[in-house]
Amino acid sequence: MTSSGELPINGNGDVVLVRQEVRAAALEAGLSLVDQTKIVTAASELARNALVYAGGGRVRIEIVRNGVRAGLRLTFSDDGPGIPDIEQALVDGWTTGNGLGLGLSGSRRLVDEFDLRSAPGEGTLITVTKWAR
Amino acid sequence: MDRVPVLKLGDILIVSIQIDLQDQSVLALQEDLADKVVQTGARGVIIDITAVEIIDSFIGRMLSTIASITRLLDAETVVVGMRPAVAITLVELGLSLGGVRTALNLEKGVALLNHLDGARLAVAPR
Ligand SMILES: Nc1ncnc2c1ncn2[C@@H]1O[C@H](COP(=O)(O)OP(=O)(O)OP(=O)(O)O)[C@@H](O)[C@H]1O
Ligand SMILES: [Mg+2]
């Protein structure tokens, strides 16, 4: 780990800020333009989910290393209601709101590593990583 | 909240998105466009996303919704200037932007609208 920072997600403006900070970090990690675009899009989905379903949360942005490879890791956490059925939440089109149900499943496709931990009443923790090629 | 300006050029409305879109700005744009289409009787809307760095599910859904709304109001929407990285990401995210017409740039967007209008005139002169 070479650098890290944490950002609050408490309003719509914060979702925009998260996208901008993730873009800057992705550039610093050496991700290609397409990979930058993918992880910024995933970050936008996960930040909005934290805001909409948990009333807010935070994201830690870290540049990580695996041998010679650099990558970008984002850890979203919130203290919201949690997700009762994680498998179901990851199905394309599943939504309890009025979205398209693509945020979680789509984000998983856009990154290299995706880890979701959640339980009812215990909030949600999602870690995603994208490695430079 | 920043509002995206809507410009009128002949009977086409042009929206050029130059800011990092916040959800409220997206919703406001939807309403502004619907109002303007009716006010001006525009036959087409061009949304220029040349400067847009990402489209997530919210913004993508907004583009589909705007296309549906303007179609009901007798105006076609064409989205122009999508970056290649954005297109690749959208497909992987799982968004097809159903019902949204696209063109590579503003010029081709205008040509597409003229073509569509020509086809419409041929069927039902007005
Ligand atoms: N941080 C969270 N806390 C609690 N529930 C969540 C959280 N994130 C997602 N969920 C649940 O998982 C479901 C699926 O989320 P996902 O982002 O895939 O779709 P969506 O937000 O409903 O629609 P979209 O993101 O396509 O606009 C949500 O409807 C919600 O019930
Ligand atoms: Mg979502």
Side-chain angles (χ1 to χ4, degrees):
Chain A
M1 203 178 305
T2 57
S3 70
S4 72
E6 199 168 73
L7 286 176
I9 305 165
N10 293 319
N12 278 301
D14 292 337
V15 176
V16 173
L17 282 180
V18 166
R19 290 203 290 249
Q20 290 166 351
E21 291 290 322
V22 170
R23 166 78 66 180
L27 196 66
E28 195 184 328
L31 298 192
S32 70
L33 179 60
V34 170
D35 286 345
Q36 288 172 35
T37 306
K38 287 181 179 179
I39 192 144
V40 174
T41 304
S44 188
E45 296 295 340
L46 299 175
R48 182 178 295 101
N49 278 356
L51 189 62
V52 171
Y53 301 110
R58 61 214 76 87
V59 58
R60 171 173 294 280
I61 303 173
E62 295 167 289
I63 292 176
V64 291
R65 277 182 198 286
N66 178 1
V68 292
R69 276 218 298 186
L72 184 62
R73 176 165 296 153
L74 309 176
T75 309
F76 289 85
S77 56
D78 67 60
D79 309 312
I83 301 174
D85 187 339
I86 293 175
E87 227 167 280
Q88 188 173 44
L90 279 165
V91 170
D92 270 352
W94 166 260
T95 176
T96 61
N98 46 14
L100 297 169
L102 286 176
L104 286 178
S105 52
S107 296
R108 177 157 71 165
R109 282 190 291 270
L110 291 172
V111 297
D112 297 320
E113 289 164 29
F114 182 97
D115 182 62
L116 198 175
R117 283 156 210 239
S118 186
E122 292 184 10
T124 299
L125 181 71
I126 301 175
T127 309
V128 299
T129 310
K130 189 99 192 156
W131 296 104
R133 272 156 238 288
Chain B
M1 179 197 76
D2 297 315
R3 259 188 139 82
V4 181
V6 179
L7 309 176
K8 183 174 172 298
L9 194 75
D11 46 9
I12 296 177
L13 298 178
I14 299 182
V15 177
S16 178
I17 299 175
Q18 298 291 339
I19 53 165
D20 200 333
L21 284 176
Q22 171 172 332
D23 292 2
Q24 263 93 4
S25 310
V26 170
L27 295 173
L29 174 62
Q30 205 164 285
E31 289 175 20
D32 289 351
L33 264 178
D35 286 343
K36 269 253 166 98
V37 164
V38 171
Q39 261 172 37
T40 62
R43 68 190 166 90
V45 174
I46 292 182
I47 302 180
D48 183 0
I49 58 167
T50 309
V52 172
E53 291 182 342
I54 69 136
I55 294 184
D56 64 7
S57 62
F58 190 87
I59 301 171
R61 187 161 48 124
M62 172 277 287
L63 292 175
S64 294
T65 306
I66 287 178
S68 305
I69 292 172
T70 63
R71 194 166 294 139
L72 285 177
L73 300 174
D74 201 25
E76 278 297 324
T77 291
V78 181
V79 171
V80 305
M82 187 181 296
R83 298 181 178 199
V86 170
I88 292 169
T89 301
L90 266 179
V91 170
E92 203 156 311
L93 184 64
L95 263 185
S96 56
L97 293 196
V100 180
R101 289 178 194 273
T102 56
L104 281 186
N105 55 42
L106 195 57
E107 198 181 344
K108 289 189 166 154
V110 173
L112 175 58
L113 283 176
N114 284 334
H115 173 77
L116 291 173
D117 209 43
R120 183 161 69 173
L121 284 174
V123 179
R126 60 169 190 183

